[in-house]
Amino acid sequence: GQNIDQPTEMTATEGAIVQINCTYQTSGFNGLFWYQQHAGEAPTFLSYNVLDGLEEKGRFSSFLSRSKGYSYLLLKELQMKDSASYLCAVRDHGWTGFQKLVFGTGTRLLVSP
Amino acid sequence: KAGVTQTPRYLIKTRGQQVTLSCSPISGHRSVSWYQQTPGQGLQFLFEYFSETQRNKGNFPGRFSGRQFSNSRSEMNVSTLELGDSALYLCASSSPGETNEKLFFGSGTQLSVL
């Protein structure tokens, strides 16, 4: 089976840096994704890691360690609009051999002035 | 390019009824996945279709079913609705074979079962 853990809620201040952690256990790992979801809206793609290391994209960076089953999403220079839920998802080979995305429960980030 | 379109946006049903939700994927995307999202459970995988065939299925009862048409549009059906089926149902499309194949989500159908 699969198990993905991330904190339920985090708070941070505008302009600060926040790191959202995600740990996972899966039998057929084939990539890790981060999605952002604002309340009442669809999740939107942020980042993808399949090899160990850091992927940087503007104010957002994502890190992966496959041996530790660990990833984090780093958000710099926080803005009020970054208040949202951040979903960690692992691409896993299902029992059919075809891949599917398995999501964690999400981390709700609240950015205050 | 139009995004993933889900209809209807909101639905209110009563226990015991059935419901059909519709999803039109991004043009050219042949894979459609369905997820149920609730505050406590997050996104739970329902099933995935590719070229009209169900390739993957999550751990949901048989009351939840789906299908995909030749134009890649997909529908999911929930029969004998229960209160616990109240949730946001999200559809996502993708283009299998891409290196970082990612899901593009629709805005969802918010289902309330009374």
Side-chain angles (χ1 to χ4, degrees):
Chain A
Q2 307 94 14
N3 191 37
I4 301 173
D5 289 314
Q6 49 182 133
T8 304
E9 273 190 12
M10 299 183 70
T11 57
T13 307
E14 200 174 11
I17 300 173
V18 71
Q19 178 175 311
I20 302 174
N21 296 324
C22 172
T23 59
Y24 64 88
Q25 291 175 308
T26 184
S27 53
F29 178 84
N30 193 24
L32 187 142
F33 295 77
W34 284 95
Y35 280 80
Q36 180 191 59
Q37 186 178 26
H38 285 98
E41 297 182 12
T44 55
F45 169 80
L46 285 178
S47 70
Y48 169 73
N49 295 71
V50 67
L51 300 176
D52 291 351
L54 189 69
E55 293 283 340
E56 296 185 84
K57 192 187 292 185
R59 293 189 299 114
F60 293 3
S61 303
S62 57
F63 172 83
L64 175 67
S65 169
R66 290 172 296 171
S67 62
K68 295 182 180 178
Y70 169 69
S71 172
Y72 67 74
L73 180 68
L74 192 71
L75 292 77
K76 304 176 187 176
E77 301 169 14
L78 281 172
Q79 302 175 9
M80 298 295 290
K81 67 177 182 179
D82 297 330
S83 292
S85 287
Y86 292 86
L87 312 176
C88 173
V90 170
R91 188 159 66 192
D92 180 76
H93 289 280
W95 64 270
T96 62
F98 294 105
Q99 300 173 20
K100 62 179 180 181
L101 272 193
V102 180
F103 284 82
T105 53
T107 298
R108 191 162 63 220
L109 174 65
L110 178 62
V111 180
S112 57
Chain B
K1 215 179 210 184
V4 179
T5 304
Q6 289 189 248
T7 56
R9 186 72 177 91
Y10 300 95
L11 262 180
I12 299 176
K13 293 285 187 178
T14 56
R15 278 182 301 174
Q17 287 186 308
Q18 76 163 20
V19 66
T20 299
L21 312 180
S22 180
C23 172
S24 293
I26 291 172
S27 178
H29 285 189
R30 295 166 62 192
S31 172
V32 173
S33 301
W34 288 90
Y35 287 83
Q36 181 195 67
Q37 186 175 32
T38 56
Q41 298 294 317
L43 271 79
Q44 300 288 306
F45 175 75
L46 281 156
F47 28 65
E48 185 243 354
Y49 287 87
F50 178 80
S51 292
E52 303 178 66
T53 301
Q54 186 183 88
R55 297 199 302 185
N56 254 318
K57 190 177 188 307
N59 297 322
F60 278 82
R63 299 184 299 106
F64 292 82
S65 63
R67 60 178 175 168
Q68 187 180 34
F69 302 95
S70 58
N71 61 358
S72 294
R73 191 178 70 85
S74 177
E75 290 181 346
M76 69 163 279
N77 184 275
V78 188
S79 62
T80 320
L81 284 166
E82 300 178 0
L83 295 179
D85 297 334
S86 294
L88 179 67
Y89 290 88
L90 290 164
C91 162
S93 74
S94 65
S95 185
E98 293 180 353
T99 303
N100 64 340
E101 175 196 344
K102 55 183 179 282
L103 298 182
F104 294 84
F105 284 88
S107 297
T109 294
Q110 184 67 54
L111 172 65
S112 298
V113 182
L114 306 178

